[in-house]
Amino acid sequence: MKLLPIALALAASSLPAMADSRVASPDGDIEFRFDVVDGRPTYSVYFKGKEVIAPSHLGFKLYSETGRNDFTKAAAKTGADALSMTDGFELAGTPQLTSFDETWTPVWGEETEIRNHYNEAAYTLRQPDFDRNIIVRARVYDDGVAFRYEFPQQAHLNYFVIDEELTEFAMTGDHYAYWIPGDYDTQEYDYSKTRLSEIRDVLPTMLNPGNASTTTFSPTGVQTSLQLKTDDGVYLNIHEAACINYPTMHLNLDDSTMTFTSWLTPDNQGRKGYMQTPAVSPWRSVIITDDARDILASRLIYNLNEPSKIEDTSWIKPVKYIGVWWEMISGAGSWNYTDDVYSVMLGETDYTKTKPNGRHSANNEKVRRYIDFAADNGFDQVLVEGWNEGWEDWFGQSKDYVFDFVTPYPDFDLDALTDYAKSRGVRLMMHHETSGAVRNYERHMDTAYTLMNEKGYNAVKSGYVGNVMPRGEYHYSQWLNNHYLYAVTEAAKHHIMVNAHEATRPTGIARTYPNLIGNESARGTEYQAMGGNRKTHTSILPFTRLQGGPMDYTPGLFVFDLSTFTPGNNSKIASTIPGQLALYVTMYSPLQMAADLPEHYEMFPDAFQFIKDVPVEWERSVYLEAEPMDYVTIARKDKNSDEWYIGSTAGTADRDSRISLDFLDPGRKYEATIYAEAPDANTVDGQQRYQITKKKVNSKSTLKLHAIAGGGYAISIKPLN
Ligand code: NOJ
Ligand code: CA
């Protein structure tokens, strides 16, 4: 670590209110300005000389709770409101300025080296009325800014409860926003692109009351990562980093002033965080650029997180997997063993005495077939959902004790299947659906992870469907965020990798805990079987959800008319086979699933070849083309060979791209295999019309390609010499 003092730039501001101190990015393009104005901590941000975040206040409102707010005693003397941490501040001393530059090696990622380079300013803010201090620490990178609150240990601030964090992000105009509704319980929404002023009108149309758990809170509340675009072509992306022991942040828009204010997820009493000094808030971050590709290339969120706390990471390995899954999601099969729910609810614990429903997917015969398919096609693992007892009444009943995570149904022979998988050189992937009964999961976790160790499982997909228990807790509260991290750190002790669905959206903590190899935390492919996803969905997720960490999107659908294998499921899937292939490149994840049924892959062996070939470990990534919701084109180099892979998705409209292959080794010859839509392909009934062409290429080649809205293309490039 290198810490160098940098010159403090003090200059007269154009804004009379802000006499400010300023800290600029290493390249000078981004500037963070800070001042205490009339006792209120205030910041603004400039990009290439233009204001992109107007003067915005910082602070907190505390909650008065007997026994915890000892600081109110000090206030009694002055009559001031000790619960207010928004005003009455003064700057204590001069800001501490440092800079930092290091290159670190992620355990997995879009590249093998990441540069973490910033200038930093720490402002100590004093509230003399209460004899207490907080610190605002800001970091300015070439790709954005971030700041957090620090609460040093001190006599007059020990325990405290947050009523609300009041961090503002004042917009400089009625920008375009790419957003999903703020919700304490689900992130599984389609995205909308609207002006900020239109959020209020459009938000009600986005709500999905059919969702198992949904708790929206404001007509103008949205989630992060929030992508924005100004009329003069500046892209802003607001998110948070290192959300640890703290609730997840939403943003609430005051659309009369175009100012967002942080809105934390409450606990079941409406409180927003139980704190004890010394403590820090998560980082509040804004990526800033005038080239949308930089948002995809930004590693701001990871850089703001701490280095790995796991010393030996040799057991953490990217995974390509298939699963006994899509047939349950589509409705053809079932997770539960019996439909004889009443026997089970009445306390029948011996499932062999119930009547099998004949549709239980996780049965010995089927799992063997999946193991064979995985082994024959080079997959590492086979996920099996519905293998364990409890699914008869798994959610919706607010039932606390549903699963024990160790008892298989009678038609799933755990030992025999484990042995069979081993004999075929693949592993089974564990599934722990908690149905939101989080306390029950914590009680069983150690036994469940120990069983995984005994049977040789090294990865678990967990899930949090339904309302959380303890009842009244929300999915993204401080308590739940602590649970998700507990599951990850306990798993690490067992050398287990975690892929949690329905858990809070990630904030880069996988840098610190790299066994968190996946999360869902957004609307995934499962919704293609439940009505469908918008055509633009996968061209916005890399800008938003993926900023905090990889998503288990579960791509790879080859059959788009679900009624062909699930009578009655009339979901329409507006995608194409090449568009599905592209997602293995554009939706970065060290954990990639081939979601469709083996028999569907067997129908299209030449297209399936791409899924077999595409790696899950990368050395380098080149962001060729990008515009939120419209298109994303990325080239990546395999970590273990000299092969390159390209994926491109088109969202809003059909798209012609011209891409230069100048990232290839000069002087080397390659063969490109292009998986593109056929001229008569469409996303209504022509999703399976594709063409595969081979071409000799080199670093001077340019390719002209076409993708239809909702679709895309994929290319593999293999060296010939
Ligand atoms: C929701 C998850 O997203 C899905 O992948 C899983 O199959 C179900 N929950 C059941 O656990
Ligand atoms: Ca889900």
Side-chain angles (χ1 to χ4, degrees), residues 188 465 501-502 520 522 526-527:
E188 298 179 355
V465 169
H501 279 223
E502 293 87 31
E520 181 193 43
E526 60 183 353
Y527 281 83

Side-chain angles (χ1 to χ4, degrees), residues 156-226:
H156 296 118
L157 191 63
N158 184 10
Y159 300 104
F160 64 103
V161 182
I162 297 172
D163 191 51
E164 191 55 276
E165 179 184 321
L166 297 166
T167 301
E168 293 176 352
F169 301 87
M171 300 291 100
T172 55
D174 189 10
H175 306 327
Y176 280 112
Y178 307 73
W179 55 272
I180 55 177
D183 191 317
Y184 300 150
D185 274 316
T186 184
Q187 297 144 149
E188 298 179 355
Y189 285 107
D190 273 316
Y191 280 81
S192 293
K193 175 186 179 183
T194 69
R195 293 272 181 190
L196 292 172
S197 56
E198 293 165 334
I199 291 177
R200 180 182 295 280
D201 293 335
V202 176
L203 196 142
T205 68
M206 300 309 298
L207 303 181
N208 175 11
N211 203 302
S213 48
T214 169
T215 314
T216 50
F217 54 85
S218 158
T220 50
V222 296
Q223 302 191 23
T224 71
S225 137
L226 175 68

Side-chain angles (χ1 to χ4, degrees), residues 49-113:
K50 269 194 170 168
E51 186 183 69
V52 289
I53 306 243
S56 300
H57 296 124
L58 299 174
F60 288 87
K61 185 164 176 261
L62 305 185
Y63 176 74
S64 164
E65 189 170 274
T66 317
R68 285 179 196 274
N69 49 335
D70 51 348
F71 47 81
T72 51
K73 283 181 216 143
K77 289 187 220 147
T78 62
D81 178 8
L83 299 176
S84 162
M85 262 199 197
T86 51
D87 46 19
F89 279 103
E90 60 190 32
L91 203 53
T94 47
Q96 269 186 307
L97 301 172
T98 51
S99 70
F100 184 81
D101 190 3
E102 71 166 5
T103 298
W104 57 281
T105 306
V107 177
W108 41 259
E110 293 172 70
E111 57 271 300
T112 49
E113 290 197 329

Side-chain angles (χ1 to χ4, degrees), residues 325 329 335 385 391 431 433 461 465 501-502 520 526:
W325 180 72
I329 293 287
W335 284 276
E385 294 198 4
W391 290 86
H431 185 231
E433 174 56 61
K461 170 180 171 180
V465 169
H501 279 223
E502 293 87 31
E520 181 193 43
E526 60 183 353

Side-chain angles (χ1 to χ4, degrees), residues 223-245:
Q223 302 191 23
T224 71
S225 137
L226 175 68
Q227 179 63 51
L228 299 148
K229 186 179 181 185
T230 70
D231 281 344
D232 48 6
V234 176
Y235 301 86
L236 304 170
N237 187 294
I238 306 178
H239 193 31
E240 60 178 323
C243 183
I244 290 174
N245 193 17

Side-chain angles (χ1 to χ4, degrees), residues 580-623:
Q580 290 287 310
L581 299 180
L583 301 175
Y584 290 91
V585 183
T586 57
M587 297 279 289
Y588 168 69
S589 177
L591 172 93
Q592 284 286 18
M593 185 183 203
D596 213 331
L597 308 179
E599 50 270 35
H600 293 167
Y601 291 130
E602 283 160 356
M603 286 161 64
F604 303 98
D606 55 351
F608 184 52
Q609 189 61 43
F610 185 85
I611 299 181
K612 288 166 67 170
D613 289 349
V614 70
V616 280
E617 297 191 80
W618 304 108
E619 184 179 297
R620 214 187 124 197
S621 296
V622 183
Y623 302 88

